[in-house]
Amino acid sequence: MRSLATILWLGIKELRSVLTDTVLIGLVLYSFSLAILAQARSGSQEVRNASVAIVDEDRSPLSRRIAGAFLPPLFRPPAFLAAREVLPAMNAGRYTLVLDVPPHLARDLLARRHPVLKLDVDATAMVQAGLGAGYAQQIVAGEIAGYLARGRGTGPAPVTLVSRIAYNPNAETAWFTSVMGILNSVTMLAIILAGAAIVRERERGTLDHLLVMPVAPMEIALAKIWANGAVILTAVGLSLVVVVRGVLRVPLAGSLPAFMAGTAIYLFFATAVGLYLGTVSRSMPQLGLLFLLVYLPLAMLSGSNTPLESMPPWLSAALQASPTVHFVAFAQAVLYRGAGLDVVWPRLVVIAGIGGLFLILSLRRFRLAAKAETGG
């Protein structure tokens, strides 16, 4: 009970220190609010309001039918250009796609000839160009098939393929990137706050006071873990409710308390890593450099940006030892598919086990640092 009381009061001291650090608090607020909104709304991977122009040299019902099939919200209403206006308009960046409908298109199709339509694409708008060109081809092919079927009296296709997308039926990027942004912010801030807590004590000279007090290194470490973890856990909950659900209107299929419980276990690992880096670093610049070496591989290879299945088999197998990979898989299972703790508990056990290993390493480094500071 005495140790628990010590951990509690040391944690309250750490909370006061964090809450009075305006830079760290500003970083936490930005990372879980404006940064999530920017990532969700600026990193869109779907076509929205692509600018289209059509050179209609056929002027037939078919060409008008094709032009009328480019509809919002994927495309803006198409503009009509003359052939001589295409190159200046593309060079000026006014249109992403320009469809050139050749003369006598409808007549050649009915005569079973093979006319050629030209689609000019501005590839500097990468997402709009790649996906937009594919949508444009589907639109043209579908309208031509419908026109020929009506003209020749052919029946419908014998087989119809219907696709159903689970959880995210409209394949909106924001539904995925917003939650993944929160997961990356959890890893980033947990390491920074916990590491900065140790370095800040050393730079202010208060570490010497802690080391001569009748407290154990385990008590100091656990106090910093729960205090910094509580700040981040509160920010995660507010971000999910206010930003993801409220502003972005992203439905969360699973249990929010279950996700928060798993996040608390992951914060145990991430803050333990931060403590370890804090015991190694002698200053904030050193902590920043070590943070980059640790955080970037954890975030880039976590599965939040690139699926593990697309990585080399040896790498995806090795990454099963990364708690960040298990945390991302846990979050996707709970928030996207509504899985319960009875399904995801093995991943939480792995995260807790590796977090305990880093805590042991941190305590060992902390004892070495304590001997160096006290000269013992």
Side-chain angles (χ1 to χ4, degrees), residues 93 123 172 184 248:
E172 295 187 23
N184 290 332
L248 296 175

Side-chain angles (χ1 to χ4, degrees), residues 159-355:
V159 176
T160 301
L161 177 64
V162 178
S163 300
R164 292 186 176 90
I165 303 177
Y167 172 70
N168 189 355
N170 294 325
E172 295 187 23
T173 305
W175 288 24
F176 178 79
T177 55
S178 58
V179 175
M180 294 302 104
I182 290 178
L183 303 188
N184 290 332
S185 294
V186 168
T187 304
M188 175 184 69
L189 291 174
I191 296 175
I192 289 179
L193 291 184
I198 298 295
V199 177
R200 185 171 55 243
E201 298 275 14
R202 181 181 287 116
E203 290 182 341
R204 293 177 178 176
T206 54
L207 184 61
D208 296 337
H209 299 164
L210 282 176
L211 295 176
V212 298
M213 292 176 64
V215 293
M218 171 71 81
E219 295 170 343
I220 298 174
L222 291 180
K224 294 187 179 300
I225 286 176
W226 85 254
N228 291 284
V231 172
I232 299 174
L233 196 64
T234 303
V236 169
L238 292 175
S239 182
L240 282 174
V241 174
V242 177
V243 179
V244 176
R245 274 184 175 172
V247 179
L248 296 175
R249 304 293 182 185
V250 178
L252 301 176
S255 168
L256 187 57
F259 173 73
M260 298 297 287
T263 303
I265 295 175
Y266 178 74
L267 283 170
F268 170 67
F269 156 76
T271 50
V273 173
L275 290 179
Y276 181 79
L277 296 182
T279 59
V280 174
S281 306
R282 307 298 298 180
S283 64
M284 285 294 186
Q286 286 186 5
L287 176 64
L289 292 175
L290 291 175
F291 163 76
L292 291 177
L293 294 177
V294 173
Y295 169 73
L296 289 179
L298 285 177
M300 295 174 63
L301 301 177
S302 64
S304 61
N305 298 315
T306 304
L308 295 183
E309 292 79 6
S310 63
M311 300 179 187
W314 64 269
L315 180 59
S316 60
L319 288 175
Q320 296 304 312
S322 170
T324 310
V325 170
H326 292 281
F327 179 53
V328 170
F330 155 80
Q332 291 176 349
V334 173
L335 296 180
Y336 293 164
R337 297 186 288 273
L341 292 177
D342 57 326
V343 176
V344 297
W345 69 265
R347 296 189 180 277
L348 299 181
V349 170
V350 173
I351 295 172
I354 300 177

Side-chain angles (χ1 to χ4, degrees), residues 82-99:
R84 64 179 181 277
E85 298 174 327
V86 173
L87 186 58
M90 294 289 286
N91 289 338
R94 291 167 51 195
Y95 302 104
T96 304
L97 305 171
V98 177
L99 178 65

